[in-house]
Amino acid sequence: MPIISRRLALLGMLTPALAACGNGGGGKSAPLPDDMSLGNPAAKVTVVEYASVACPVCGRWYKEVFPAFKAKYIDSGKIHYIAREMLVGDANEVAIAASGFLLARCAGKDKYFAVVGAIYASQPGIYDDPNNTLMGIAKTVGLSEDQYSACIRDQAALNALSARVAANVKRDNVNATPTFVVNGKALEAGYQPLTALDAAIAAAGAGK
């Protein structure tokens, strides 16, 4: 954990507003240049998820709901799904999330979601040994230990991540994760079962 722990003070200075894991709200759906997305960009419905890879609630949602959500809406081309990065929780969780997101972007757009999924799947063990857990994930996407270390030490990338998070908090009024936004309408922040997303997507598709 030494690489991760050394950046805690720096992250505190870089990020003017941190979210909480599980309550709050807000959000918009307009695509942004740095967005990572899946599905059909031309779909009538856009679902944005504001989440942190170190948020336990986000991890639970990913394990319990995302597979069915992906099959029903993303793989079928019915929606455009956008994932937006947030930094939430205590200092350790913020540092883990920052390193995890940096790693996912280093892996490239084609492997970004594979890395994010692997980090969620590693909960809760990642909290005890984040550095070795993330290094192991890096190796599965073809990165060496040296490449992994360089990736999570990249100051420019860390600055860019912090700027994205700060912009989401300020511009979109998102202060908790996960927050789902369907065609610009935010659901109550926190864990959302598939039935709640079904209803929101159906209403958005009907123009409600």
Side-chain angles (χ1 to χ4, degrees), residues 42-182:
K44 186 176 180 179
V45 177
T46 296
V47 177
V48 178
E49 180 190 7
Y50 294 85
S52 165
V53 288
C55 168
V57 180
C58 302
R60 179 186 163 213
W61 185 87
Y62 181 87
K63 294 172 185 177
E64 297 178 355
V65 180
F66 184 74
F69 173 80
K70 182 175 182 292
K72 186 172 184 178
Y73 292 112
I74 297 173
D75 295 344
S76 66
K78 293 179 181 178
I79 69 162
H80 186 209
Y81 168 78
I82 297 173
R84 290 192 181 149
E85 300 154 344
M86 298 292 285
L87 300 175
V88 308
D90 62 25
N92 190 51
E93 290 169 350
V94 168
I96 292 169
S99 294
F101 284 133
L102 293 180
L103 172 59
R105 288 190 177 256
C106 283
K109 286 190 174 182
D110 59 330
K111 297 178 181 178
Y112 177 89
F113 285 101
V115 171
V116 166
I119 297 172
Y120 282 135
S122 74
Q123 292 184 11
I126 193 171
Y127 305 123
D128 297 323
D129 192 5
N131 200 55
N132 284 329
T133 300
L134 291 174
M135 188 180 299
I137 292 170
K139 291 178 179 179
T140 69
V141 293
L143 297 179
S144 67
E145 290 187 16
D146 287 344
Q147 288 173 318
Y148 161 74
S149 295
C151 173
I152 68 168
R153 293 171 191 254
D154 186 334
Q155 188 60 54
L158 181 60
N159 291 347
L161 169 62
S162 183
R164 286 194 299 274
V165 171
N168 288 341
V169 171
K170 181 178 180 180
R171 179 193 59 244
D172 297 344
N173 191 33
V174 173
N175 56 18
T177 59
T179 292
F180 296 92
V181 183
V182 182

